[in-house]
Amino acid sequence: REDFLFVYSALLDARLHHEGSRGAGVRRGLDAWSAWFDEAHASAKRGGREAWLYLCSDHGMVDVERTVDVMARVAALPWRRGRDYVAFYDSTMARFWWRTSGACDAIHAALAREPAGRWLTREELNRAGADFADHRYGEDLFLLEPGALLVPSFMGRTAVAAMHGYDPAHPDMAGLLASNRPLPPEVTHLADLRGFLEHELELLERADARTGVA
């Protein structure tokens, strides 16, 4: 009976964080989503309409293998957070804004010796669409390798089973777009999703206009 349904859920994300990619609850969640899509398609068909179905995610998930205490490494230096630098310690990265050049040089050198992470270059940030001129998310970002988790962090003091927020090039970070409609070959990036779905809505509106569907 409905012309348009949009369903959002963070349940699968939560289960992946808690159980990891091979968790029993994760498998049950995937089975439930599969059954829901099958029923939505069958319901539309019983109503004499063709359902255009789309399933998408914003990121993948990487199983956590080790933890890294970046906060302790930085805190051991003779520089004070809030006075010499500002830092935000996320689950997979540390973001820094500099107030003194000495703190910048010392923290760069200290974290460069951490084998489970690396400083992102301006070129990498630019390719990821994250090189903001106003440095809203940090002047410099230190990113952990996939499978490493920053513990403790401002997001928590204990490890979880899986996490996202790593290098987008890692295969387990890929998001998903699936449909019972043709997917154009040029739709390859998360940034392409909105334009694609808007185009599909326009096609649907024109089709409804031709058939007289309200």
Side-chain angles (χ1 to χ4, degrees):
R1 292 187 300 271
E2 304 295 338
D3 292 327
F4 178 83
L5 292 173
F6 176 84
V7 180
Y8 168 81
S9 173
L11 181 59
L12 185 59
D13 178 84
R15 285 176 173 168
L16 281 162
H17 281 306
H18 180 68
E19 300 179 356
S21 63
R22 295 173 177 81
V26 172
R27 173 52 58 186
R28 289 194 299 270
L30 292 172
D31 290 342
W33 277 108
S34 180
W36 189 90
F37 268 80
D38 287 344
E39 177 58 25
H41 183 269
S43 295
K45 190 173 183 179
R46 286 195 298 270
R49 303 180 68 179
E50 176 190 1
W52 294 11
L53 302 173
Y54 310 87
L55 176 65
C56 61
S57 69
D58 53 348
H59 56 71
M61 193 75 75
V62 179
D63 289 322
V64 171
E65 300 172 349
R66 60 192 183 280
T67 61
V68 181
D69 193 345
V70 172
M71 294 178 69
R73 187 185 285 269
V74 175
L77 301 173
W79 306 96
R80 185 181 304 170
R81 181 162 61 90
R83 182 191 67 186
D84 302 304
Y85 66 93
V86 175
F88 188 93
Y89 296 102
D90 213 325
S91 297
T92 63
M93 67 186 74
R95 314 160 189 266
F96 294 94
W97 295 260
W98 310 114
R99 292 183 173 175
T100 66
S101 59
C104 175
D105 294 340
I107 294 173
H108 263 269
L111 293 186
R113 295 191 291 271
E114 171 53 61
R118 72 182 194 282
W119 290 101
L120 294 178
T121 66
R122 299 258 71 86
E123 290 76 14
E124 288 177 305
L125 290 169
N126 184 266
R127 285 199 302 271
D131 188 15
F132 298 98
D134 59 4
H135 305 301
R136 68 186 72 174
Y137 300 116
E139 292 180 67
D140 286 314
L141 278 69
F142 183 79
L143 177 67
L144 294 183
E145 293 298 314
L149 192 68
L150 205 152
V151 178
S153 73
F154 291 174
M155 308 303 290
R157 302 188 64 84
T158 57
V160 294
M163 183 52 66
H164 48 87
Y166 298 105
D167 187 334
H170 189 274
D172 288 345
M173 280 303 302
L176 169 75
L177 173 60
S179 178
N180 64 343
R181 297 264 302 155
L183 296 177
E186 63 270 16
V187 179
T188 61
H189 192 276
L190 182 62
D192 302 327
L193 183 59
R194 175 173 174 168
F196 166 67
L197 292 178
E198 287 178 343
H199 179 259
E200 290 290 275
L201 282 172
E202 291 172 0
L203 292 178
L204 185 59
E205 288 173 354
R206 289 201 292 267
D208 285 346
R210 288 195 300 270
T211 59
V213 176

